[in-house]
């Protein structure tokens, strides 16, 4: 069971969910049907009798009160069944105002007698078909401000569908118990595929799998493949580095779905080779990019079904950085803003935003190593190897000051250090770094550790903020990249400690977008898929290390 205030109730493939979270940081009193087509929009309020308590499992939502209950389950990605036994329900439009350009219009369909909302915000229809019991309509064909919806009482059952313009009258031979059983079987199969290793040592594995499964949507709009959104709260997009962690978490048991996650942003690669900042149902943003961790990520995925195409996509993405993000005469590429790094407001960017940073160069070194492995042409492989070697030399010569990595203004040439964990991400190079550099980075990473994991800003820094986004809180991607780099850099004990602390954090505080590094409290969006994926990645690796002859 889980709290709907933290994790929405949904189903793999669906574009809608049930949650009291109706907008960024806005929590309603009632559970709402919230659609993520054309943005995040609360569509329907589900109002049971006063005093009802709502509980959720991965396959069923239940309200209990006044000696009765209401149960809700997904029959398919666009249809739910809702059944009441001795407990009434008011199913009302969330927005009471209809204007010529917004809000819900409500009517009874003369074809089948169903009640239909057609909603401007999503451009979709929501049909309520009464299968059993008494019902009453409110506000049919009303204009302007009105209460619109369906009132159900006694024992009753309905189906609720989201669709475009028209479909055949609702019909199903399945009884409610069969619908629940089928939904449970779908989820159980997903868990078995992505976390077959789960045990008493990994108590959050099933919930982590549910966060991924329930945040998955079917192809629609600009989403060209089955996609795991970052959340079915307000972070309902795919960002062009977040997707890598979801792909890795899915890779072991669902390789086809994992490759869909990896390739989705590449479906929108622009003529310059850049990936979009983010993709969602009705929007693609190109005003920023995200860091090139994709070569690193490929090392954690199964072999590509089409290695030549994968090579071409990765080559274009790499050349974007080498050709469009290097100033004349400069060997190192630069970010134009903290958003490009994924660490939007990290202290690395306090003095200048357009900077050459060590993490960017490190990612590209790994990406060029991956290109060398992917190409089937020895001469091309040698060229990428030489480029990677040269970039690594430039990184160490220009940004390593003997004690730490610095960032350099791409125009000013000024080098500055910070107390951000971002400056320590070159540990991702692992064994490629000289041993003294590895040792120094490991020691500095250890200074960032709190009881719960690596803080993104040094906790003793004057710039540290408990809820400062990338200026303090613990994040999943930085944890994964650092844990992996430390392990390859010859510091497995520190990597083990970071893994253990982050896993314990998720088991304690769930799968929030980020966490207060001092208290472990979940912050911002509370159902973030890359956090769930990070838990699954670390837990799976830990369980592997626990098999004989190893001991946990």
């Amino acid at each position: 069971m889980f709290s709907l205030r933290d994790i929405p109730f949904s189903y793999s493939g669906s574009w809608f969910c049930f949650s009291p979270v109706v907008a960024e940081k806005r929590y309603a009193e009632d559970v709402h049907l919230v659609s993520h087509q054309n943005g995040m929009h609360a569509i329907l309020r589900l109002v049971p009798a006063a005093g009802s308590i709502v509980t959720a499992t991965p396959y069923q939502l239940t309200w209990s009160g006044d000696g009765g209950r209401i149960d809700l389950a997904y029959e398919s990605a666009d249809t739910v069944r809702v059944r009441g036994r001795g407990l009434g329900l008011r199913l009302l439009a969330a927005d009471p105002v209809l204007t010529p350009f917004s809000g819900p219009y409500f009517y009874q369909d003369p074809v089948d007698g169903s009640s239909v909302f057609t909603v401007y915000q999503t451009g979709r229809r929501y049909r309520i078909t009464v299968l059993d019991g008494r019902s009453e309509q409110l506000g049919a064909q009303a204009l302007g401000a009105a209460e619109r919806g369906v009132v159900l009482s006694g024992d009753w059952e309905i189906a609720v569908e989201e669709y475009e313009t028209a479909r055949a009258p609702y019909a199903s031979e399945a009884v409610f118990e069969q619908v629940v059983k089928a939904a449970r079987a779908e989820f159980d199969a997903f868990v078995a595929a992505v976390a077959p290793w789960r045990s008493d040592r990994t108590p959050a594995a099933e919930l982590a799998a549910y966060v991924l499964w329930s945040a998955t949507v079917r192809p629609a709009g600009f989403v060209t493949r089955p996609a795991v959104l970052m959340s079915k709260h307000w972070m309902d997009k795919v960002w062009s580095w977040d997707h890598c962690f979801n792909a890795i978490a899915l890779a072991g048991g669902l390789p086809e779905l994992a490759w869909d996650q990896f390739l989705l942003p590449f479906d929108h690669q622009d003529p310059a080779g850049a990936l979009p900042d983010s993709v969602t149902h009705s929007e693609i943003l190109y005003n920023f990019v995200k860091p090139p961790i994709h070569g690193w990520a490929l090392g954690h995925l199964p072999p590509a079904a089409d290695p030549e195409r994968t090579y071409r996509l990765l080559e274009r993405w790499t050349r974007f950085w080498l050709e469009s993000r290097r100033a004349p005469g400069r060997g190192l590429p630069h970010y134009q803003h903290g958003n490009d790094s994924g660490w939007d407001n990290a202290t690395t960017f306090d003095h200048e935003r357009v900077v050459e940073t060590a993490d960017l160069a490190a990612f590209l070194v790994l990406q060029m190593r991956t290109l060398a492995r992917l190409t089937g042409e020895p001469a091309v492989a040698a060229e990428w190897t030489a480029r990677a070697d040269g970039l690594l030399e430039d990184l160490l010569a220009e940004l390593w000051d003997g004690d730490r990595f610095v960032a350099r203004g791409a125009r000013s040439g000024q080098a500055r250090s910070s107390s951000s964990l971002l400056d320590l991400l070159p540990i991702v190079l692992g064994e490629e770094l000289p041993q003294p550099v590895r040792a120094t980075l490991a020691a500095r990473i250890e200074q960032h550790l709190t009881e719960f994991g690596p803080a993104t800003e040094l906790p003793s820094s004057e710039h540290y903020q408990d809820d400062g986004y990338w200026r303090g809180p613990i994040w999943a991607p930085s944890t994964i990249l650092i844990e992996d780099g430390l392990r390859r850099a010859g510091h497995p004990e520190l990597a083990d400690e970071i893994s253990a602390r982050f896993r314990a954090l998720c088991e304690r505080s769930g799968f929030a977008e980020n966490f207060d590094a001092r208290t472990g409290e979940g912050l911002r969006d509370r159902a973030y898929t890359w956090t769930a994926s990070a838990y699954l990645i670390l837990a799976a690796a830990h369980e592997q290390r626990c098999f004989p002859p190893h001991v946990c």
Side-chain angles (χ1 to χ4, degrees), residues 10-17 34-37 74 77 162 211-232 236-238 257 260-261 264 279-281 529:
S10 193
Y11 181 88
S12 182
S14 181
W15 278 94
F16 64 86
C17 65
V34 179
S35 179
H36 295 273
Q37 301 201 64
Y74 277 84
E162 180 183 54
V211 170
L212 288 178
W213 181 77
S214 64
T216 303
V217 295
R218 66 189 181 278
F222 290 124
V223 176
T224 49
R225 303 164 180 270
V228 180
L229 302 178
M230 291 313 106
S231 174
K232 278 185 182 169
D236 54 354
K237 299 183 180 185
V238 176
L257 184 59
D260 280 333
Q261 306 321 300
L264 175 59
V279 179
T280 191
H281 178 271
T529 54

Side-chain angles (χ1 to χ4, degrees), residues 134-426:
R134 300 188 303 274
S135 66
E136 175 189 356
Q137 281 194 338
L138 301 175
Q141 300 189 51
L143 303 177
E147 186 173 55
R148 300 172 174 86
V150 175
V151 180
L152 301 145
S153 58
D155 291 348
W156 51 270
E157 186 171 349
I158 61 173
V160 182
E161 304 163 86
E162 180 183 54
Y163 63 100
E164 281 75 43
T165 55
R167 60 169 48 177
Y170 174 83
S172 174
E173 295 182 358
V175 299
F176 188 83
E177 289 78 10
Q178 291 173 317
V179 171
V180 174
K181 184 178 180 180
R184 182 171 190 168
E186 288 281 338
F187 173 64
D188 288 347
F190 182 86
V191 177
V194 302
W197 38 261
R198 65 196 185 281
S199 71
D200 292 343
R201 294 186 297 266
T202 58
E206 187 168 320
L207 189 56
Y210 175 74
V211 170
L212 288 178
W213 181 77
S214 64
T216 303
V217 295
R218 66 189 181 278
F222 290 124
V223 176
T224 49
R225 303 164 180 270
V228 180
L229 302 178
M230 291 313 106
S231 174
K232 278 185 182 169
H233 287 326
W234 59 86
M235 300 293 279
D236 54 354
K237 299 183 180 185
V238 176
W239 277 269
S240 291
W241 71 310
D242 308 42
H243 69 116
C244 291
F245 301 96
N246 290 341
I248 294 168
L250 295 168
L254 296 169
E256 185 175 348
L257 184 59
W259 273 101
D260 280 333
Q261 306 321 300
F262 183 82
L263 291 172
L264 175 59
F266 286 95
D267 290 344
H268 302 285
Q269 195 168 23
D270 79 358
L275 300 184
D277 181 52
S278 63
V279 179
T280 191
H281 178 271
S282 302
E283 175 189 85
I284 306 174
L285 298 181
Y286 289 97
N287 54 321
F288 292 107
V289 292
K290 285 294 175 274
I293 67 167
H294 303 80
W296 168 83
L298 279 173
H300 298 270
L301 295 181
D306 188 347
E308 290 186 13
R309 179 171 181 266
T310 303
Y311 172 85
R312 290 194 302 272
L313 296 172
L314 193 66
E315 178 192 30
R316 292 183 60 221
W317 177 220
T318 306
R319 290 190 185 279
F320 162 78
W321 289 98
L322 299 179
E323 296 170 3
S324 300
R325 288 297 184 89
R326 288 201 293 191
R330 299 295 301 155
L332 294 171
H334 59 266
Y335 293 129
Q336 294 175 344
H337 186 277
N339 290 357
D340 287 344
S341 74
W343 292 54
D344 310 3
N345 66 333
T347 53
T348 301
F349 304 98
D350 276 2
H351 296 286
E352 294 184 69
R353 262 58 65 195
V354 184
V355 287
E356 300 166 356
T357 64
D359 67 294
L360 175 54
F363 293 142
L364 285 171
V365 168
L366 294 178
Q367 195 144 292
M368 289 189 282
R369 301 282 190 222
T370 299
L371 287 168
R373 290 193 298 272
L374 283 176
T375 182
E377 301 180 29
V380 176
E383 179 185 346
W384 283 119
T385 298
R387 286 191 170 200
D389 291 343
L391 187 57
L392 179 57
E393 289 175 9
D394 288 345
L395 167 63
L396 293 169
E398 298 192 35
L399 298 184
W400 179 253
D401 71 359
D403 186 52
R404 64 177 68 212
F405 280 109
V406 298
R408 188 184 303 276
R411 289 186 61 84
S412 71
Q414 288 189 298
R416 293 185 175 93
S417 62
S418 79
S419 47
S420 174
L421 188 66
L422 180 63
D423 298 351
L424 306 179
L425 274 192

